[in-house]
């Protein structure tokens, strides 16, 4: 019976993981499509984009190292136990690669579309430079003793920190403008789905192993899930409650239709639900 339970939980874990990967992956496209149709990035905060690139780049380094490197995996098992599962799945790595590519493409859109008088703030530039210089120092410190698990934990901490602050400029700009026009609510709705499923995936893994090590062994992933949910709820409130779109021809309404199209094309059976 235990064996069948383990198989069932493993299947559920994989399904949740790939659904989260799908939701998070397509969450980048409503913003890209909105920018393309408006031929404008006005309303999309540039500080958010720069911080987001740093966040996803750091997360890619962490995921790829822990998933592919035997040395990092050995150090992880020495720290948390030889029987513990590596808390990074293939979908985590695939998501990170895709996320870096799409965030860079969104930055490219900033260069070619109307951006009004928006620009990256000095504070954002300072934070970004400081973070990457700090990462470089950590690489130099880790190299002599081959402290690779510690090093990737630094990149994990960077991505958690970036997740904690990256949404603040966008939320504040929405507050100042009293509008979410130009900011993709489709991105937020899909991001919320991915965050909840990712958290559920970690819970299933803990049930299977009868331990909470998956939460504190990969604390970055745990905090990430909580932060994503909280910020997504804030943006949903801003869009639908605080600053609702009143004009049916508004670009944000157009973007919501794009999101609906993406979802109905992928799962046509849910069209009339």
């Amino acid at each position: 019976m235990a064996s069948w339970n383990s198989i069932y939980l493993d299947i559920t874990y994989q399904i949740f993981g790939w659904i989260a990967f799908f939701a998070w992956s397509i969450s980048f496209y409503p913003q890209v499509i909105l920018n393309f149709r408006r031929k404008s990035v006005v309303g999309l905060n540039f500080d958010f984009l720069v911080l987001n690139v740093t966040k996803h780049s750091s997360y890619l380094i962490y995921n790829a190292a822990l998933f592919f490197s035997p040395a990092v995996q050995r150090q992880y098992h020495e720290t948390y136990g030889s029987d513990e599962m590596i808390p990074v799945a293939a979908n985590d790595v695939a998501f990170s690669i895709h996320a870096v590519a799409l965030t860079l493409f969104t930055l490219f859109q900033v260069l070619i579309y109307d951006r009004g008088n928006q620009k990256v703030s000095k504070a954002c530039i300072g934070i970004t430079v400081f973070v990457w210089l700090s990462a470089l120092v950590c690489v130099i410190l880790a190299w002599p003793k081959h402290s690779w698990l510690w090093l990737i934990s630094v990149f994990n901490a960077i991505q958690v920190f970036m997740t904690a602050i990256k949404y603040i400029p966008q939320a504040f700009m929405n507050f100042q403008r009293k509008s979410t026009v130009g900011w993709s609510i489709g991105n937020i709705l899909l991001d919320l789905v991915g965050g909840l499923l990712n958290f559920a995936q970690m819970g299933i893994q803990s049930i299977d192993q009868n331990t909470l090590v998956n939460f504190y062994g990969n604390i970055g992933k745990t905090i990430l899930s909580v932060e994503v949910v909280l910020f997504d709820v804030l943006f949903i409130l801003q869009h639908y409650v605080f600053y609702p779109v009143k004009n049916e021809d508004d670009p944000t309404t157009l973007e919501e239709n794009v999101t609906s199209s993406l979802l109905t094309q992928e799962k046509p059976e849910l069209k009339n639900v």
Side-chain angles (χ1 to χ4, degrees), residues 4-76:
W4 280 108
N5 286 339
S6 179
I7 292 174
Y8 172 77
L9 288 173
D10 183 63
I11 293 174
T12 305
Y13 172 83
Q14 295 296 333
I15 291 175
F16 276 20
W18 283 108
I19 293 176
F21 161 72
F22 169 77
W24 267 342
S25 295
I26 67 172
S27 72
F28 292 95
Y29 290 95
Q31 185 68 59
V32 169
I33 295 173
L34 177 62
N35 295 343
F36 172 75
R37 294 199 173 187
R38 295 172 70 226
K39 297 296 187 292
S40 170
V41 291
V42 175
L44 175 61
N45 190 274
F46 297 168
D47 287 2
F48 162 75
L49 289 178
V50 173
L51 297 175
N52 207 26
V53 169
T54 299
K55 173 260 187 299
H56 285 299
S57 298
S58 301
Y59 199 38
L60 173 59
I61 292 172
Y62 171 81
N63 283 331
L66 193 50
F67 187 77
F68 290 111
S69 172
V72 175
Q73 291 177 1
R74 183 178 65 255
Q75 291 180 16
Y76 181 87

Side-chain angles (χ1 to χ4, degrees), residues 18-246:
W18 283 108
I19 293 176
F21 161 72
F22 169 77
W24 267 342
S25 295
I26 67 172
S27 72
F28 292 95
Y29 290 95
Q31 185 68 59
V32 169
I33 295 173
L34 177 62
N35 295 343
F36 172 75
R37 294 199 173 187
R38 295 172 70 226
K39 297 296 187 292
S40 170
V41 291
V42 175
L44 175 61
N45 190 274
F46 297 168
D47 287 2
F48 162 75
L49 289 178
V50 173
L51 297 175
N52 207 26
V53 169
T54 299
K55 173 260 187 299
H56 285 299
S57 298
S58 301
Y59 199 38
L60 173 59
I61 292 172
Y62 171 81
N63 283 331
L66 193 50
F67 187 77
F68 290 111
S69 172
V72 175
Q73 291 177 1
R74 183 178 65 255
Q75 291 180 16
Y76 181 87
H77 286 141
E78 290 173 353
T79 302
Y80 297 106
S82 58
D83 295 331
E84 296 300 332
M85 183 186 299
I86 296 298
V88 172
N91 57 275
D92 293 316
V93 180
F95 165 75
S96 292
I97 294 173
H98 182 265
V100 170
L102 265 293
T103 49
L104 289 175
F105 183 77
T106 307
L107 275 177
F108 172 72
Q109 288 185 312
V110 169
L111 300 177
I112 62 175
Y113 293 145
D114 175 33
R115 54 184 178 271
N117 60 355
Q118 296 180 131
K119 60 182 180 180
V120 179
S121 70
K122 293 181 180 179
C124 176
I125 295 175
I127 291 172
T128 304
V129 171
F130 174 78
V131 164
W132 284 112
L133 285 178
S134 299
L136 178 60
V137 170
C138 289
V139 170
I140 295 174
L141 292 175
W143 195 279
K145 295 184 179 180
H146 296 174
S147 303
W148 307 130
L149 183 62
W150 172 80
L151 180 60
I152 67 166
S153 71
V154 170
F155 284 100
N156 197 22
I158 289 174
Q159 70 89 11
V160 171
F161 173 68
M162 287 298 166
T163 301
I165 68 172
K166 71 174 186 176
Y167 289 116
I168 296 175
Q170 184 67 58
F172 185 68
M173 188 170 80
N174 292 346
F175 169 75
Q176 285 184 312
R177 298 169 67 231
K178 299 297 185 290
S179 171
T180 58
V181 173
W183 171 243
S184 167
I185 191 61
N187 167 31
I188 296 305
L189 295 174
L190 292 165
D191 199 43
L192 178 60
V193 172
L196 292 174
L197 287 176
N198 184 60
F199 199 74
Q201 186 185 26
M202 295 176 67
I204 290 173
Q205 191 176 40
S206 294
I207 293 173
D208 184 38
Q209 298 179 352
N210 194 30
T211 176
L212 294 178
V213 71
N214 297 296
F215 287 91
Y216 61 79
N218 191 2
I219 191 64
K221 193 172 183 179
T222 304
I223 298 175
L224 173 65
S225 298
V226 175
E227 290 173 344
V228 165
V229 170
L230 293 178
F231 274 110
D232 287 346
V233 169
L234 172 61
F235 285 120
I236 289 172
L237 289 174
Q238 284 188 322
H239 183 78
Y240 291 109
V241 180
F242 303 147
Y243 322 121
V245 177
K246 298 179 180 179

